[in-house]
Amino acid sequence: MSETRKDSKGRRLWNGETQDADGRYKYRYTDLNGNRVTVYSWRLTEADHVPSGKRQDSSLREKEKEIKQMLDMKLDVSKSNVTLLELARRYIQSKPGYKPVTVHQYETSIDRVEGSPFLQRKINDVRTSEAKAWCVGLAKDGVPGEIIDRVKTILKLAYKMAIEDEIAVRNPFDFSLSDVVRYTVNTRDAITPEQEKALLDFLKEDTCYKKYYEPVYILFKTGMRISEFCGLTMDDIDLENGRININHQVLKVPNKGMFVGPPKSKSGYRIIPMSDSVKECFERIIQRREKFDNEPVLYDDDGKAYTGFLYLNRRGNVLISADWEQRFNDIVGRYNKKHEVHLPKITPHVARHTFCTNMANSGVPPKQLQYIMGHSTITITMDHYTHTHVDDLGNIMENVCRI
């Protein structure tokens, strides 16, 4: 009868396990192709400590468990040599249903962290604890929480795909980032009614930027997304009935250029009623709109042509979100140069956020506001009900006390 093999701590070694003279453990097995494969670890079990100066890794027994799972499922271990970075890129490219803007967001997020050695790890060599530690490390290195969260989401979905394709056993990114990394999204807070009025009054009189009063006013008083405003054509403005038809947006992404896309979600298809003041702004914009011999034409993915865009630059090109972002930045910069009390950073999305907050503070029911904003869920809309200002709360409390 053969003698039971033990490690340096006196623990019994299983079939295929051995320990080298330097203390490192190894396990040998035969893969589905008949090849002999060896895996290594400085720890036999998960409770063991990694020797000082050695790389943190899964224990040998943890690796054995995964290998046996793969062999039982008849997974080809050779296919599991895919790295995290390769898996993430495969996932992004395998989703034709994603909008170009989403694909661009995903790709730029992965590009931001692609230099991390962790992403060169094999997909079946990564434990949940290691994935969490990596996210913590990214945060310490100054990577914005939004980027970390997006990358983690990509990898979580990519692992789900890999498990379905039977090249991965488990999903180490199936955890909530907020449990391991404290971060705040760069929110674009609503400005106060006083700040909004100060900006609009300034635009009315400023010799340089008064030409932008109407579009800025419309954004603050309708809550449109800036990409939806950029996509407005003459056909979308119903002055007779006082309505704005939102059924598309203008986008621009690398490798595709400028194009017409559907609204952000199904809820984005909507009709926004105009106030009299908004209607007057549209009338002035249309009246002043310069006529071009060759009106720009953009197409959607179905080949439908769009022309007669409401706002064009001097060269007759359709303005995009980035153009308006820059204009807002210039306007606020000029305002702050002329006033002691400065305005905060204001963007087209701040205008949208401000409109939604003002509507919520005015008592507009959440479901109605959800429709006007084109929010996909009521949860997004309800978030704006938390941005009530202290003064507004005081008025509400006073009204309650009178009942």
Side-chain angles (χ1 to χ4, degrees):
M1 184 174 179
S2 60
E3 184 180 350
T4 301
R5 293 177 301 106
K6 297 181 179 180
D7 70 354
S8 59
K9 296 181 180 180
R11 294 176 295 188
R12 178 178 175 274
L13 295 175
W14 296 349
N15 289 338
E17 295 177 346
T18 58
Q19 185 179 29
D20 292 339
D22 60 1
R24 187 171 65 161
Y25 295 93
K26 61 184 179 183
Y27 173 70
R28 298 200 72 195
Y29 67 96
T30 303
D31 67 15
L32 295 176
N33 298 318
N35 302 314
R36 292 292 287 170
V37 181
T38 305
V39 294
Y40 302 87
S41 178
W42 288 102
R43 300 186 298 157
L44 179 63
T45 69
E46 195 170 359
D48 293 343
H49 296 289
V50 176
S52 177
K54 304 300 181 182
R55 184 173 69 86
Q56 183 73 29
D57 194 9
S58 302
S59 70
L60 195 72
R61 296 273 166 87
E62 289 174 299
K63 292 184 178 182
E64 287 180 60
K65 182 179 178 181
E66 293 171 9
I67 290 168
K68 289 172 182 175
Q69 284 179 311
M70 288 190 290
L71 293 176
D72 288 343
M73 296 169 62
K74 300 192 183 315
L75 298 183
D76 185 350
V77 180
S78 63
K79 291 181 181 178
S80 300
N81 287 328
V82 177
T83 66
L84 289 172
L85 183 59
E86 291 169 339
L87 182 66
R89 300 238 185 252
R90 285 186 190 182
Y91 171 76
I92 295 171
Q93 296 304 320
S94 69
K95 295 295 178 181
Y98 280 156
K99 296 177 182 178
V101 171
T102 301
V103 172
H104 178 56
Q105 273 189 334
Y106 280 8
E107 288 179 340
T108 52
S109 296
I110 293 296
D111 288 345
R112 178 72 182 270
V113 298
E114 69 174 347
S116 170
F118 182 79
L119 290 181
Q120 297 305 320
R121 297 277 297 278
K122 307 300 181 184
I123 61 175
N124 282 311
D125 290 345
V126 179
R127 308 289 300 175
T128 299
S129 59
E130 295 172 318
K132 290 181 177 180
W134 179 61
C135 291
V136 172
L138 290 177
K140 289 181 178 179
D141 290 339
V143 179
E146 295 160 278
I147 299 295
I148 301 173
D149 194 29
R150 189 175 297 137
V151 169
K152 188 202 78 72
T153 298
I154 294 168
L155 287 168
K156 176 181 176 180
L157 296 174
Y159 262 100
K160 182 178 179 181
M161 177 184 73
I163 291 171
E164 291 172 350
D165 290 344
E166 299 186 341
I167 62 170
V169 178
R170 52 183 169 69
N171 194 335
F173 284 89
D174 191 10
F175 62 87
S176 174
L177 183 64
S178 60
D179 291 339
V180 294
V181 175
R182 290 186 178 182
Y183 74 97
T184 55
V185 176
N186 291 325
T187 57
R188 289 154 288 193
D189 292 332
I191 59 175
T192 66
E194 293 75 20
Q195 290 171 327
E196 178 185 336
K197 184 178 185 303
L199 177 67
L200 293 174
D201 286 347
F202 167 73
L203 275 177
K204 257 186 181 179
E205 305 299 331
D206 187 73
T207 55
C208 181
Y209 290 117
K210 65 188 306 180
K211 58 186 175 183
Y212 296 127
Y213 172 80
E214 286 81 12
V216 172
Y217 185 92
I218 288 170
L219 290 171
F220 269 106
K221 303 303 181 181
T222 64
M224 272 187 287
R225 296 180 177 91
I226 186 58
S227 56
E228 295 169 343
F229 179 79
C230 293
L232 289 179
T233 67
M234 302 290 283
D235 293 336
D236 300 319
I237 309 302
D238 184 356
L239 292 175
E240 182 178 350
N241 296 303
R243 296 176 175 178
I244 310 166
N245 297 302
I246 307 295
N247 51 46
H248 62 274
Q249 58 182 334
V250 165
L251 304 166
K252 184 178 182 180
V253 297
N255 303 322
K256 186 169 183 177
M258 195 182 303
F259 64 97
V260 173
K264 189 174 181 180
S265 66
K266 289 182 180 179
S267 302
Y269 292 90
R270 63 201 190 280
I271 296 175
I272 301 176
M274 300 181 195
S275 64
D276 290 341
S277 55
V278 167
K279 183 178 179 180
E280 290 172 2
C281 284
F282 274 120
E283 288 173 341
R284 289 196 293 270
I285 290 173
I286 293 172
Q287 185 178 13
R288 294 200 302 255
R289 184 179 180 276
E290 188 175 349
K291 305 296 182 183
F292 291 90
D293 293 334
N294 296 312
E295 287 279 345
V297 180
L298 297 178
Y299 298 87
D300 62 18
D301 289 340
D302 295 327
K304 180 181 177 181
Y306 292 78
T307 190
F309 290 96
L310 200 63
Y311 243 95
L312 308 174
N313 63 19
R314 293 178 180 177
R315 297 184 297 276
N317 297 324
V318 179
L319 293 178
I320 60 174
S321 302
D323 296 322
W324 286 108
E325 293 272 355
Q326 185 59 54
R327 281 164 173 73
F328 267 72
N329 187 58
D330 292 342
I331 290 168
V332 173
R334 184 173 173 87
Y335 177 96
N336 287 342
K337 283 183 179 179
K338 293 189 172 187
H339 297 79
E340 289 186 10
V341 179
H342 288 183
L343 292 174
K345 181 177 176 62
I346 301 176
T347 67
H349 193 83
V350 168
R352 173 174 164 82
H353 195 104
T354 299
F355 169 81
C356 192
T357 301
N358 290 342
M359 293 287 278
N361 289 341
S362 298
V364 176
K367 290 301 290 184
Q368 292 182 15
L369 186 52
Q370 179 189 0
Y371 172 80
I372 295 172
M373 298 300 296
H375 286 151
S376 58
T377 67
I378 191 66
T379 303
I380 300 174
T381 309
M382 289 302 295
D383 179 60
H384 292 270
Y385 285 79
T386 67
H387 295 135
T388 302
H389 296 293
V390 173
D391 291 342
D392 298 313
L393 288 174
N395 294 331
I396 293 171
M397 295 294 290
E398 184 66 30
N399 289 334
V400 170
C401 292
R402 290 173 181 171
I403 296 176

